[in-house]
Amino acid sequence: MAYNLCASPSSLYQPLCNSLSSPSRDPKPKPSTHSFIKLPTFPPQSKPFSLLQLTTTHVSLHDAVQQQSEKEEENARDTNGKAVGTSSKSYVWVNPRSARASELRRKSYDARYSSLVKAAQDLNSCEANEVEVSRVLNGLGHNLLEQDAVVVVNNMTNPAAALLAMRYFRDKLKFNREEVMYNVTMKVLRKCRKMSEAEELFDEMLQRGVKPDNVTFSTVISCARLCNLPEKAVEWFEKMSSYGITPDDVTYSTMIDAYGRAGNVEKALNLYDRARAEKWRLDAVTFSTLIKIYGISGNYDGCLNVYEEMKALGVKPNVVTFNTLLDAMGRAKRPWKAKILYKELIDSGLTPTFATYAALMRAYGRARYGEDALIVYREMKEKSMELNVVLYNTLLSMCADLGYVDEASRIFEDMKSCKVEPDSWTFSSLITIFSCSGRVSEAEKALNAMVEAGFEPNLFVLTSMIQCYGKAQQTDDVVKTFNQLLELGITPDDRFCGCLLNVVTQTPMEELGKLVECVEKGNPKLGSVVKLLVQENHDGNFKEQAAELFTSVAADVKKAYCNCLIDLCVNLNSLERACELLDLGLTLEIYTDIQSKSTTQWSLYLKSLSLGAALTALHVWINDLTKAVESGEVLPPVLGINTGHGKHKYSDKGLASVFESHLKELNAPFHEAPDKVGWFLTTKVAAEAWLEARKEAEVVAAA
């Protein structure tokens, strides 16, 4: 085979660039019976290397590194001493068995390049002082070329030694383009993330009268980007015009990322629009920043659109891209999309990182995908990943909302065993979990631990404790907790008073007086309405006071207040007041779409009602059906009651199970539909017969 002993451009430039134009070559010679050695020949004063260019996405050396050859190329001869080439040709061929072949191989630039790389490696490991750097570089001899200096510095990773080497070469050589040497030195500083040193080197360039070029700025800008200093990148980008330099497409692409991370969203998006129009080449980092920009602004569809554009352009998403998307889908509460993206990440051969699992856990936790979040948690533990307090809190908060009491206890124990310090949110979630499940001693233990850890109980925590004591019917502790709230200077809000009202509905009659006083202190208008109910005061302005109360409270608690007040009426056997409140709730549109009518079915919807409110709504509906039949209105073929099929997260009972037994007590002909979960249905004939029987029973009872 033939040995290529030319000064290979690829071997010289490969570490510096991605794509370069190679010197032109003669056509491939015809096959021969002998092996030959291919050698470059240059006429006197020729330029063996006309271009040294770096075209990576961050920095490029645009101009020629020109150096005159110090020796004329010797004519190569075969073993018989006959010349096989002349200096007028680009290449000569020498028999590899020739005695000259070994010497020519030694003199080729490939061998020279290896010694230069070795010198760079020695400089990387030596002490960064002038003596040591000079010792290593003196070993290269005195016949240094300009491209020798570029190759050495470009292969360095020791920034301090690189600066000394650059100055050594600067003193030894007369550079045709000194900015090239500065640029390649800046590349080393960028590689080592030395932003301040890069800025100092730029100042040195100016002091020496060396004019910076596009490459200089793109290198400094990309250095700022790698150092996570987007504001610095913007600062340097905006300096370019003052030096008469127009950024190229690569620099503009980089600035999309820089502007986005610096918070100048409008500028970043404008550049992105221009990038699409002019078909700039964008990298995965820039796309990740764009996805983050859209995510922060709440444009989650925009995140997905950028992702699709990225794939259409053939840019392969990296782990950061997927993590950014997962985080956005978590905030968008689209856990199903997070699942799809995670599968795409795995299918692409990427390895999930801690940030991947953290984003997934937040996505599932926020959306209350309990089982999925716990699977992620267990996988992280299997991989020995250490969760932080934020992730533990995400899990505990989810458990509180889903009623995962046992899981929460295990997670908290794991948190303690991993020596992760709980914060106030940790304790708040624990107290909520134990309070809602009626575990008084555990809730009190968590509260004491919270105080011992230096956290003062807040309104949320005290609301949970009141709920806990109310479930356990420990009325005195409810009062004590309410007084503690006032002593801490905390003003009860609508949610707290709603919780207190809910406790009132669970309290025995003989102890109601203790709580009515607390309700009055917390919300005087609510206290006035409760007092009218408890004292069975049939004041004619009850409905007006209740309407004034509902008008004064926040929209998100109105239904809870109305439900609780109706429940209290039912507990007090005050059906008339309960019906008044239900009617008021319908008038104020606190309740909507409770009843519906069509030609085929009349329905009663109770899913959003408390038990007392649902029973009251049923009573009103039965009366409406009775009036309809009495007035001669024709009932539809089917009548239905929809209770929903769910159950309370902290209880084994749902509205459907309670309602089923109540309908049996009424001897109502409604039966649970086997093919429609949560529905109790009956026919027109059965309903009419039952309503008629009820009417007759009432007549008999009245007699």
Side-chain angles (χ1 to χ4, degrees):
M1 64 182 286
Y3 294 91
N4 183 350
L5 290 180
C6 70
S8 168
S10 64
S11 65
L12 171 59
Y13 301 138
Q14 187 63 33
L16 301 181
C17 66
N18 292 335
S19 60
L20 290 167
S21 299
S22 299
S24 59
R25 299 174 184 268
D26 285 342
K28 187 176 179 181
K30 295 180 180 180
S32 171
T33 56
H34 299 282
S35 296
F36 293 95
I37 297 176
K38 185 180 178 185
L39 294 171
T41 60
F42 301 103
Q45 310 303 319
S46 70
K47 299 174 183 177
F49 299 100
S50 62
L51 180 66
L52 181 63
Q53 183 177 26
L54 191 69
T55 59
T56 63
T57 56
H58 298 301
V59 67
S60 56
L61 301 178
H62 287 280
D63 300 293
V65 179
Q66 300 175 353
Q67 186 73 33
Q68 220 174 37
S69 177
E70 298 184 2
K71 294 182 180 180
E72 288 189 19
E73 183 69 30
E74 296 182 8
N75 288 333
R77 299 180 182 276
D78 64 13
T79 53
N80 298 319
K82 295 179 181 179
V84 293
T86 67
S87 61
S88 63
K89 295 183 179 180
S90 297
Y91 299 97
V92 294
W93 294 87
V94 176
N95 190 324
R97 297 177 181 177
S98 168
R100 296 275 290 157
S102 177
E103 181 182 356
L104 290 171
R105 275 196 295 268
R106 181 176 56 80
K107 290 182 177 181
S108 73
Y109 202 85
D110 281 339
R112 177 67 170 171
Y113 182 82
S114 298
S115 66
L116 296 174
V117 173
K118 176 64 168 60
Q121 293 170 348
D122 292 341
L123 289 171
N124 289 335
S125 59
C126 79
E127 291 186 19
N129 58 59
E130 289 186 14
V131 174
E132 285 298 307
V133 170
S134 297
R135 179 185 61 78
V136 173
L137 295 178
N138 287 339
L140 295 175
H142 299 292
N143 297 326
L144 292 171
L145 305 178
E146 191 167 338
Q147 67 259 30
D148 293 347
V150 173
V151 170
V152 170
V153 175
N154 185 69
N155 280 279
M156 293 184 66
T157 56
N158 183 335
L163 289 168
L164 292 171
M166 184 270 292
R167 288 165 187 145
Y168 174 93
F169 288 122
R170 190 184 64 197
D171 295 340
K172 295 284 185 181
L173 298 168
K174 184 177 180 181
F175 288 94
N176 292 318
R177 296 294 303 278
E178 193 170 346
E179 67 270 23
V180 173
M181 196 64 209
Y182 275 100
N183 290 345
V184 79
T185 307
M186 279 191 180
K187 179 190 169 188
V188 179
L189 298 176
R190 183 198 67 185
K191 192 188 306 180
C192 301
R193 291 169 170 74
K194 297 291 184 181
M195 185 63 196
S196 59
E197 287 84 346
E199 291 180 313
E200 290 171 5
L201 189 61
F202 182 87
D203 292 339
E204 182 182 313
M205 284 182 73
L206 299 182
Q207 290 168 7
R208 289 181 56 84
V210 179
K211 185 180 178 181
D213 59 12
N214 208 322
V215 184
T216 312
F217 279 96
S218 64
T219 307
V220 177
I221 289 168
S222 59
C223 181
R225 185 188 188 194
L226 288 173
C227 293
N228 198 28
L229 298 171
E231 293 83 3
K232 275 285 183 186
V234 170
E235 177 189 329
W236 279 90
F237 175 73
E238 294 176 352
K239 280 182 182 180
M240 294 181 74
S241 59
S242 64
Y243 289 87
I245 298 172
T246 302
D248 58 15
D249 291 356
V250 173
T251 306
Y252 274 127
S253 300
T254 301
M255 291 312 300
I256 296 175
D257 173 58
Y259 275 117
R261 290 163 63 190
N264 193 336
V265 173
E266 184 179 357
K267 186 72 173 178
L269 294 180
N270 286 341
L271 281 176
Y272 179 51
D273 290 338
R274 183 175 168 186
R276 287 190 291 185
E278 299 181 16
K279 301 188 184 309
W280 299 345
R281 183 174 180 178
L282 305 180
D283 60 12
V285 175
T286 300
F287 278 111
S288 298
T289 299
L290 286 165
I291 292 168
K292 188 174 183 180
I293 289 172
Y294 281 115
I296 291 172
S297 66
N299 186 353
Y300 303 114
D301 289 330
C303 297
L304 297 174
N305 289 339
V306 171
Y307 175 59
E308 292 302 323
E309 286 182 18
M310 179 183 188
K311 291 192 292 184
L313 291 171
V315 180
K316 186 177 179 181
N318 57 24
V319 174
V320 174
T321 308
F322 280 111
N323 292 349
T324 308
L325 279 166
L326 289 171
D327 184 68
M329 293 304 102
R331 279 185 275 114
K333 292 189 177 179
R334 300 183 188 178
W336 60 91
K337 188 62 183 178
K339 274 189 175 184
I340 294 170
L341 289 167
Y342 180 69
K343 185 178 184 303
E344 289 181 15
L345 182 152
I346 298 299
D347 292 344
S348 66
L350 296 171
T351 303
T353 63
F354 174 87
T356 310
Y357 289 115
L360 265 182
M361 186 179 290
R362 287 192 296 268
Y364 293 149
R366 285 171 180 163
R368 301 317 182 222
Y369 270 40
E371 292 305 319
D372 292 296
L374 292 174
I375 288 171
V376 173
Y377 164 67
R378 286 190 282 268
E379 190 168 339
M380 291 181 76
K381 299 304 294 184
E382 287 171 4
K383 294 188 175 182
S384 301
M385 291 184 177
E386 295 182 3
L387 279 71
N388 56 31
V389 67
V390 174
L391 293 180
Y392 276 115
N393 286 348
T394 299
L395 287 170
L396 291 172
S397 176
M398 179 198 72
C399 289
D401 284 347
L402 296 175
Y404 287 2
V405 182
D406 295 334
E407 290 86 347
S409 298
R410 285 192 290 269
I411 289 168
F412 183 62
E413 288 304 316
D414 171 56
M415 183 179 183
K416 289 193 295 183
S417 67
C418 293
K419 303 196 183 313
V420 176
E421 290 294 328
D423 60 12
S424 60
W425 285 105
T426 312
F427 291 114
S428 295
S429 295
L430 278 175
I431 292 168
T432 299
I433 292 166
F434 294 135
S435 297
C436 291
S437 57
R439 299 188 182 187
V440 177
S441 61
E442 284 142 297
E444 289 178 333
K445 184 179 177 182
L447 178 61
N448 292 335
M450 180 180 187
V451 174
E452 289 172 5
F455 301 108
E456 203 169 71
N458 55 24
L459 181 61
F460 182 80
V461 169
L462 295 175
T463 301
S464 295
M465 289 307 301
I466 280 182
Q467 184 178 19
C468 182
Y469 290 132
K471 276 182 172 289
Q473 295 190 352
Q474 296 178 205
T475 307
D476 290 339
D477 287 317
V478 173
V479 175
K480 180 182 175 182
T481 304
F482 178 80
N483 291 333
Q484 183 184 1
L485 178 136
L486 298 180
E487 289 167 5
L488 290 170
I490 300 173
T491 302
D493 64 1
D494 289 343
R495 287 179 178 274
F496 178 88
C497 293
C499 179
L500 192 58
L501 179 60
N502 181 259
V503 171
V504 170
T505 66
Q506 304 171 54
T507 303
M509 278 291 299
E510 59 273 15
E511 294 190 318
L512 279 178
K514 299 177 183 178
L515 296 183
V516 171
E517 185 179 346
C518 294
V519 174
E520 279 188 298
K521 289 180 181 178
N523 185 326
K525 290 182 180 179
L526 177 60
S528 177
V529 172
V530 171
K531 186 177 285 188
L532 287 175
L533 293 176
V534 172
Q535 294 177 354
E536 298 185 9
N537 187 332
H538 296 284
D539 190 344
N541 69 348
F542 168 75
K543 203 168 182 178
E544 288 75 9
Q545 288 192 44
E548 186 180 345
L549 167 67
F550 292 136
T551 305
S552 67
V553 298
D556 60 340
V557 300
K558 288 182 180 181
K559 186 177 288 186
Y561 275 40
C562 200
N563 277 342
C564 286
L565 288 171
I566 294 175
D567 285 348
L568 182 58
C569 291
V570 171
N571 293 345
L572 297 171
N573 293 318
S574 181
L575 185 58
E576 182 182 350
R577 292 289 197 206
C579 291
E580 283 184 271
L581 285 167
L582 181 66
D583 181 63
L584 181 61
L586 291 168
T587 302
L588 297 175
E589 295 186 345
I590 296 172
Y591 301 122
T592 56
D593 302 322
I594 288 182
Q595 294 187 26
S596 71
K597 289 184 178 181
S598 72
T599 55
T600 58
Q601 182 172 329
W602 289 3
S603 302
L604 177 66
Y605 295 93
L606 306 174
K607 288 176 66 175
S608 64
L609 305 184
S610 63
L611 178 58
L615 292 174
T616 303
L618 176 65
H619 171 79
V620 172
W621 191 56
I622 291 172
N623 286 345
D624 289 345
L625 292 177
T626 302
K627 291 175 185 177
V629 171
E630 289 175 350
S631 65
E633 192 172 352
V634 179
L635 297 181
V638 178
L639 294 96
I641 302 170
N642 180 230
T643 62
H645 63 277
K647 64 179 183 179
H648 193 279
K649 59 194 174 188
Y650 288 102
S651 171
D652 292 330
K653 292 184 178 181
L655 189 59
S657 61
V658 177
F659 234 74
E660 185 177 17
S661 60
H662 182 69
L663 290 170
K664 287 179 180 178
E665 290 176 9
L666 296 176
N667 200 27
F670 291 89
H671 302 283
E672 192 166 8
D675 57 338
K676 296 180 72 176
V677 180
W679 278 92
F680 292 86
L681 303 175
T682 191
T683 63
K684 167 189 173 182
V685 174
E688 287 176 339
W690 176 63
L691 292 172
E692 183 63 29
R694 276 175 60 85
K695 182 179 178 181
E696 292 175 359
E698 287 174 0
V699 171
V700 172

